[in-house]
Amino acid sequence: MSDQRKSAAIAFLEKHQIEFERFDHPAVFTVEEVTKLVNIDHGKRTKNLFVRDKKGRRHVLIIVPHDKSVDLRALGEITGHGRVSFASPERLLRYLGVDPGSVTLMGVINDLENAVEVVIDSAIWEAESVRCHPLVNTSTVVLPAKGVRRLFEVTGHNPLIIDVPSR
């Protein structure tokens, strides 16, 4: 299944002429594991969180620098989502088509109904290039800023760009 997901992600990038560099590596589940096992010297490292509102009606993909600790309470207040909490693995698979440990900005390619709202920290949005998983945690792709913007344009997602509050 993971090979199919990776192939689908790469095919999407190629189909939409989004430049990328691909790096394969052992499976990584945490920022700490990425630091130890993934040797890429360029591209802003990301951390991705998938949350839902209290009633489970709104889902949000949050993309921040890898070393940022997000204040979910403050973020919920700023964005109008109210109290948010991490979504279940089932919701993650349903909305973004990925498993825990593989949450990525590329998950929006599986959100065909635009049910997921996207919040991106301004440090990521302004970076020259960013790193993310191609739907699986055994590879990393580096996308130039224009590629990130194109990805959201093609999928119809209009991200909210803010300074995501940290704890």
Side-chain angles (χ1 to χ4, degrees):
M1 179 61 103
S2 64
D3 285 341
Q4 290 174 330
R5 288 181 187 165
K6 186 186 331 184
S7 295
I10 298 303
F12 180 91
L13 294 172
E14 290 172 344
K15 175 183 176 184
H16 296 288
Q17 300 177 339
I18 297 172
E19 293 178 35
F20 68 94
E21 292 177 85
R22 177 177 143 190
F23 300 87
D24 295 323
H25 49 72
V28 289
F29 294 90
T30 65
V31 170
E32 292 76 24
E33 288 178 351
V34 170
T35 301
K36 289 180 189 174
L37 299 173
V38 180
N39 187 20
I40 303 171
D41 64 359
H42 61 289
K44 187 88 167 159
R45 289 175 56 191
T46 59
K47 176 166 53 176
N48 304 271
L49 310 172
F50 187 59
V51 299
R52 65 180 191 85
D53 69 356
K54 187 176 180 179
K55 294 186 179 190
R57 293 188 185 134
R58 295 174 75 187
H59 296 82
V60 185
L61 175 61
I62 305 163
I63 305 159
V64 298
H66 77 283
D67 55 356
K68 187 168 215 169
S69 181
V70 177
D71 183 338
L72 290 177
R73 176 175 280 165
L75 180 65
E77 290 173 11
I78 290 169
T79 62
H81 291 104
R83 191 169 141 209
V84 296
S85 59
F86 289 100
S88 68
E90 294 79 19
R91 286 177 190 260
L92 184 57
L93 186 59
R94 176 179 169 200
Y95 289 98
L96 297 179
V98 298
D99 298 313
S102 297
V103 182
T104 172
L105 64 87
M106 285 199 66
V108 298
I109 72 173
N110 291 322
D111 179 30
L112 303 178
E113 297 176 5
N114 283 55
V116 176
E117 299 170 56
V118 180
V119 174
I120 302 179
D121 191 271
S122 55
I124 297 296
W125 192 251
E126 295 164 6
E128 276 186 42
S129 61
V130 299
R131 298 186 210 174
C132 63
H133 292 309
L135 306 180
V136 296
N137 63 359
T138 56
S139 287
T140 297
V141 291
V142 178
L143 303 174
K146 68 181 179 183
V148 173
R149 285 160 178 72
R150 174 92 173 118
L151 177 93
F152 289 114
E153 175 189 313
V154 168
T155 62
H157 290 82
N158 186 21
L160 173 63
I161 313 301
I162 61 171
D163 289 328
V164 174
S166 61
R167 286 189 283 154

